Amino acid sequence: KKDDTIVFFISTHGYNGGACTYDGYISTQQIREIFHNTKAGNKFIIAQCCHSGSFNTTPDIITSTQDTWNNLGNIAQNGRSNVVILTSSRNYQYSYGSYYGNSYFLDQLLNALNGEADYNNDGIISIEETYNYLKESFKNNTEQTPQMIGRFNKNAPFIEQ
């Protein structure tokens, strides 16, 4: 339904064009098709894996934001849905994990959603606040760059405290 929210979070090994699953692989195209066919008003894909930026692009092609969005199969019908794809790295980068707990990306995402990204102190963590927090957290990291793309109201709530 239009009022529903879908969150797809995947943390696994990745390749340019998809991710590994317990019993095989799932391509970014398969995920885009699943999301395209849902009627939910808010759709979030969070991918934490090497080459996860390929969730934002067609494999082996780096394009402008607008061209990239057009390649996503027009997930948001007529711009009425909030659709966000947040990735831990660019499509040509590794996404570094940890042997001792969460990855740095997941730690920073959780910090953001637990209130550190609420820059205006309104009790709502917006999509834009979340991404800005992640960008700031990774600004000195030249090996891994979180990416976000989508069609959404930048002030749309990601989470309310």
Side-chain angles (χ1 to χ4, degrees), residues 86-101:
L86 178 62
T87 67
S88 61
S89 63
R90 296 179 186 269
N91 67 336
Y92 56 85
Q93 293 177 321
Y94 294 110
S95 182
Y96 296 96
S98 170
Y99 292 108
Y100 306 106

Side-chain angles (χ1 to χ4, degrees), residues 43-61:
K43 305 169 189 183
F44 300 104
I45 298 173
I46 303 170
Q48 176 185 269
C49 51
C50 293
H51 312 290
S52 59
S54 68
F55 280 71
N56 295 342
T57 63
T58 54
D60 303 320
I61 298 173

Side-chain angles (χ1 to χ4, degrees), residues 100-156:
Y100 306 106
N102 294 334
S103 69
Y104 185 71
F105 174 81
L106 183 55
D107 279 341
Q108 297 311 305
L109 178 61
L110 293 174
N111 288 341
L113 298 179
N114 281 321
E116 290 186 31
D118 188 10
Y119 294 117
N120 61 4
N121 296 311
D122 64 355
I124 298 171
I125 314 295
S126 72
I127 294 165
E128 183 175 58
E129 286 175 318
T130 302
Y131 182 60
N132 287 339
Y133 183 88
L134 289 170
K135 279 194 320 187
E136 183 66 23
S137 298
F138 279 84
K139 74 179 180 183
N140 294 320
N141 184 331
T142 59
E143 296 180 16
Q144 184 177 340
T145 309
Q147 301 290 288
M148 184 175 72
I149 194 170
R151 183 177 291 165
F152 54 88
N153 173 342
K154 68 181 183 175
N155 297 313

Side-chain angles (χ1 to χ4, degrees), residues 15-54:
Y15 60 93
N16 200 357
C20 302
T21 62
Y22 177 76
D23 59 353
Y25 305 94
I26 187 165
S27 72
T28 56
Q29 181 62 34
Q30 289 171 299
I31 293 169
R32 288 192 297 263
E33 287 173 7
I34 291 167
F35 267 64
H36 178 71
N37 292 323
T38 67
K39 305 283 189 236
N42 297 297
K43 305 169 189 183
F44 300 104
I45 298 173
I46 303 170
Q48 176 185 269
C49 51
C50 293
H51 312 290
S52 59
S54 68

